[in-house]
Amino acid sequence: MSSRDIDSTSENVLHDWARDAEDDDGQVEPEPEVEIEPAEHDEDEAAPAWGAASAPAEHEEAVAKTTVETEAEEALEPAEVDEDVPELEEGEIDETPMHVELSHEHAAGDLHIPDGYAVLEGVAEGGRRAVGIVVSRFNGSVTTQLLDSALAELATAGVRQDTITIMVVPGAFELPLAATALAKTRRFACIVALGCVIRGDTPHFDYVSGEAASGLQLAALETGVPVSFGLLTLDRVEQAEARIGKGAEAVRSALEMADLFAHLRAAASR
């Protein structure tokens, strides 16, 4: 049989199968589905390719989470406590002295005046001068030490005790008025004002210290009598100990100004 006869016979057979299928309910039976069993994978095998990219991201997330938890635990650890510092009970006040460092608020060196000029200058000597002291009662533990410092300096300068008058006022705010009253008597060569203001939680400190300073300056300007400034303005009471010498310093300033004014009057009368 030739190849053409074989092809013709095949076409006839296929045609007969299609006609028989149409005769059965007029429909062609669908080909049966072939179930494909999933391939078995070894549990120890590596993850599929699509999951390989997510592995580094999951690792980084785990590391970041561990770091955050570690930092949180460190933050919650209690701070180290100095064993040398005793613990205070409730309501107990710590009376341990506080170390306060002094600021470098002065420049070293003396004033130099060229030769050939007329110079008027006073010295801190008492002689027979009468001195008035105005001191505030408020913050008495500090103002008492200021007063002691001032009286010791007056004795060193040669001012006799019977020529010293001490006027006590309630607080620093009253210092200018008392200084003005003493100066207007014309009995004193100079006035020394002593007081202490300590900063609190309100602006009261600024008002009192500012008005006291300007008032004492005004007392000197109105009367022409030297009024020295011995008012401590502190942030903390612990700062007072290092500044008690301001009482003696105020005395030296007052005596020097009194002596300077005496030289000025003598020079003017010539």
Side-chain angles (χ1 to χ4, degrees):
M1 182 180 293
S2 64
S3 59
R4 179 176 298 178
D5 294 337
I6 293 174
D7 294 339
S8 176
T9 304
S10 300
E11 290 178 359
N12 294 334
V13 172
L14 292 175
H15 180 73
D16 293 340
W17 282 354
R19 186 178 55 186
D20 294 340
E22 290 177 358
D23 293 341
D24 296 341
D25 299 333
Q27 296 181 353
V28 179
E29 294 182 359
E31 296 182 1
E33 298 181 357
V34 180
E35 296 182 359
I36 300 176
E37 295 182 0
E40 295 182 359
H41 298 280
D42 190 354
E43 295 180 355
D44 297 333
E45 291 182 357
W50 59 267
S54 62
E58 293 177 357
H59 176 69
E60 293 179 359
E61 182 179 355
V63 172
K65 183 178 180 181
T66 304
T67 304
V68 173
E69 291 177 354
T70 303
E71 293 178 352
E73 291 177 359
E74 293 177 354
L76 294 175
E77 291 182 359
E80 295 182 0
V81 180
D82 190 355
E83 297 179 356
D84 297 335
V85 179
E87 295 183 359
L88 298 177
E89 297 180 359
E90 184 177 356
E92 186 178 358
I93 300 175
D94 186 5
E95 297 181 354
T96 304
M98 179 182 294
H99 176 69
V100 180
E101 295 183 0
L102 295 179
S103 60
H104 302 285
E105 52 189 28
H106 304 295
D110 296 328
L111 173 66
H112 175 70
I113 301 175
D115 296 334
Y117 294 91
V119 178
L120 289 174
E121 187 175 7
V123 293
E125 293 181 354
R128 292 180 295 176
R129 292 189 176 92
V131 177
I133 297 178
V134 186
V135 58
S136 65
R137 188 185 301 111
F138 196 71
N139 292 323
S141 62
V142 177
T143 57
T144 297
Q145 297 180 69
L146 285 172
L147 179 60
D148 292 341
S149 175
L151 293 176
E153 187 64 26
L154 286 171
T156 302
V159 179
R160 300 194 313 270
Q161 184 174 348
D162 59 352
T163 62
I164 301 172
T165 299
I166 301 173
M167 178 180 285
V168 181
V169 297
F173 194 77
E174 291 75 29
L175 289 175
L177 179 60
T180 302
L182 284 179
K184 284 184 175 181
T185 64
R186 300 297 175 183
R187 293 178 51 195
F188 304 100
C190 58
I191 308 296
V192 178
L194 305 173
C196 176
V197 184
I198 302 175
R199 187 183 299 277
D201 297 331
T202 66
H204 180 76
F205 169 89
D206 301 310
Y207 291 116
V208 173
S209 58
E211 292 300 322
S214 60
L216 291 172
Q217 177 75 335
L218 185 60
L221 293 175
E222 286 186 349
T223 63
V225 176
V227 178
S228 63
F229 186 78
L231 175 66
L232 295 184
T233 53
L234 310 175
D235 290 324
R236 302 179 306 276
V237 67
E238 293 83 4
Q239 296 174 329
E241 183 178 357
R243 294 165 175 80
I244 293 302
K246 292 293 183 180
E249 182 179 318
V251 166
R252 290 192 294 270
S253 297
L255 291 176
E256 181 178 338
M257 289 298 294
D259 188 57
L260 174 60
F261 278 20
H263 288 306
L264 177 60
R265 286 190 293 269
S269 61
R270 292 174 187 171

